[in-house]
Amino acid sequence: MKKIAVLTSGGDSPGMNAAVMEVSRFAALAGMPLIGIKRGFNGLIGKFRPQDSYTEMSMDLALDIADLPGTYLRTARCEEFVLPEYQEMAVNFLRKMNVVGLVVIGGDGSFQGAHAMSKLGMPCIGIPGTIDNDLEYSETSLGFDTAVNVCVDAVRAIRATSRSHDRPALVEVMGRNCGDIAMATAMSTGSEIVVVPEVQNWDIQDVVNRLDSLIRRGNTRATIIVAEGAYKTMKPFDFNAFLEPYTQVFEGEAMNARRMGHVLRYKTASQVRSNVIGYIQRGHEPTAKDASFAFEAAHMAIELLKNGIGNEVIGLKNGRIFHMPLDKALKIKPQFNKEVYELINSL
Ligand code: ADP
Ligand code: F6P
């Protein structure tokens, strides 16, 4: 019997399990059994024992995992998958199992793997799964909405203590190269300052000036949202030289939330406190928005594979689900929303 396979790859994101469950339901409707591939592309190249590499996805199992954060199928890097011999091995493995199509849930790296396998004759469909929302072709990806909601809850909780003590708060959110989580969090919480990796050579002195001006205008508990990737794109700042007169120095170490908080604290003479939200952003059950995207994306993926169509990715535009060629999607350059960035920082 012709089968479908599904795998999750890259960083886990809320909604991956929901998508696997929906793929399972729509595959069953199409009369095609589903194989769950474990640990990303590793499960296709014989790296682990068979029981650690793949599993039959029973409906009972799929329904059990649907609401859970993380990914039941596990996820892992598979560095050798850039090599054609491993991609061929993966396609042969799937063919031997009677698999006629693979759903790859992940980010741009995972989509490269899916593209390579599609070119070798195994139809693959990509569903975007990353909290960072760094795939430009789609306005959202599984987990982004959930991660933003986690950040909004956290900022509101941090605000309670900021407000009580008249202290500004610096809050670091995730986003390796993309400031979408930071911008959406800032907008949804009325945060006064946002710092993102898309702005090259941003100056910490500008953040200080802005915070100073807010304090002078009577706002003693402003919130500064910083995307973790932004430290890489800041104008060089000698943190060690700066702190020397004040306290202990940590030679040769990069900027981070705690240090940035110190700089703001000393330069504005306010009691700035730093917070890093971290992995909690990946650890919640998916919001309704992420879960309904999983539903529609899974349906479209199975419809395509049922008709032998591969090398496509699923996305959302103006709230509507769509698909497009994988290689075209990967070529779309990220567009930074400078207007929103300036608006947040202007109030
Ligand atoms: P994401 O999918 O979230 O971008 P990664 O960049 O870590 O995450 O990529 C996930 C996996 O995708 C890698 O570990 C590797 O197995 C596979 N991959 C990444 N780049 C390529 C590539 N150029 N060709 C084939 N496979 C790739
Ligand atoms: O899922 C994307 C992301 O959350 C990035 O924002 C972050 O830099 C990265 O994953 C960290 O993931 P890990 O620590 O698992 O490599």
Side-chain angles (χ1 to χ4, degrees):
M1 201 187 246
K2 287 180 178 168
K3 296 175 186 164
I4 298 285
V6 61
L7 63 80
T8 56
S9 171
D12 64 286
S13 63
M16 281 183 162
N17 280 329
V20 170
M21 181 273 282
E22 298 296 8
V23 164
S24 189
R25 291 207 300 161
F26 285 114
L29 191 67
M32 297 165 107
L34 183 71
I35 309 283
I37 306 296
K38 292 192 159 182
R39 299 173 171 83
F41 295 112
N42 293 294
L44 297 172
I45 60 170
K47 213 159 148 183
F48 303 114
R49 297 179 306 170
Q51 61 267 42
D52 297 323
S53 302
Y54 60 91
T55 182
E56 304 270 339
M57 287 299 299
S58 71
M59 190 53 68
D60 194 37
L61 172 60
L63 294 172
D64 270 356
I65 64 170
D67 302 336
L68 303 178
T71 166
Y72 169 81
L73 291 175
R74 309 287 196 271
T75 180
R77 295 221 160 76
C78 177
E79 267 148 33
E80 54 274 58
F81 211 71
V82 296
L83 302 171
E85 59 262 40
Y86 287 96
Q87 298 160 1
E88 266 165 43
M89 197 187 291
V91 168
N92 291 338
F93 169 81
L94 288 172
R95 282 202 183 116
K96 229 191 264 164
M97 303 244 287
N98 242 352
V99 168
V100 295
L102 172 69
V103 180
V104 173
I105 307 172
D108 58 341
S110 310
F111 286 0
Q112 298 279 2
H115 182 49
M117 289 174 75
S118 294
K119 281 198 298 184
L120 290 170
M122 174 55 59
C124 294
I125 302 293
I127 295 182
T130 158
I131 64 164
D132 286 0
N133 203 32
D134 54 355
L135 290 159
E136 186 62 34
Y137 80 90
S138 176
E139 63 196 20
T140 196
S141 59
L142 289 174
F144 172 63
D145 186 62
T146 308
V148 170
N149 277 287
V150 169
C151 293
V152 168
D153 279 353
V155 168
R156 288 178 179 156
I158 290 164
R159 276 252 178 82
T161 182
S162 297
R163 197 166 52 232
S164 305
H165 289 265
D166 289 308
R167 285 173 184 157
L170 183 152
V171 183
E172 180 192 290
V173 301
M174 278 185 162
R176 205 174 357 189
N177 302 309
C178 179
D180 280 18
I181 296 179
M183 300 245 282
T185 302
M187 272 193 286
S188 322
T189 55
S191 293
E192 290 83 350
I193 301 177
V194 67
V195 184
V196 294
E198 286 89 342
V199 178
Q200 294 296 319
N201 227 25
W202 61 272
D203 193 340
I204 197 163
Q205 188 57 46
D206 291 339
V207 180
V208 169
N209 296 346
R210 170 127 183 80
L211 182 58
D212 249 341
S213 127
L214 286 161
I215 295 169
R216 268 188 278 108
R217 284 183 279 148
N219 183 345
T220 50
R221 28 58 183 255
T223 308
I224 304 128
I225 308 287
V226 183
E228 62 174 341
Y231 307 121
K232 285 187 300 200
T233 61
M234 77 185 288
K235 184 173 162 190
F237 176 82
D238 192 341
F239 175 77
N240 296 328
F242 172 74
L243 273 194
E244 210 148 17
Y246 299 98
T247 182
Q248 192 184 351
V249 296
F250 305 90
E251 220 170 294
E253 287 183 31
M255 182 59 81
N256 58 28
R258 209 171 152 71
R259 289 175 186 176
M260 185 166 168
H262 284 318
V263 176
L264 298 183
R265 192 185 311 178
Y266 292 126
K267 284 205 175 213
T268 62
S270 66
Q271 284 297 312
V272 177
R273 293 288 193 271
S274 307
N275 307 262
V276 177
I277 302 181
Y279 289 114
I280 300 166
Q281 289 160 94
R282 300 211 301 223
H284 275 238
E285 55 277 6
T287 56
K289 192 170 175 193
D290 280 332
S292 57
F293 179 49
F295 173 81
E296 285 198 277
H299 172 245
M300 188 166 270
I302 295 299
E303 281 302 301
L304 290 167
L305 290 178
K306 215 169 66 180
N307 294 304
I309 300 167
N311 215 359
E312 295 275 311
V313 281
I314 315 280
L316 205 72
K317 198 168 218 129
N318 301 324
R320 301 297 291 259
I321 201 94
F322 73 100
H323 61 91
M324 70 183 293
L326 207 158
D327 52 344
K328 262 197 191 161
L330 287 176
K331 278 189 198 129
I332 301 178
K333 295 259 172 305
Q335 295 243 324
F336 177 54
N337 195 338
K338 196 160 174 258
E339 251 170 58
V340 166
Y341 166 81
E342 283 174 354
L343 208 53
I344 298 167
N345 285 313
S346 70
L347 283 168

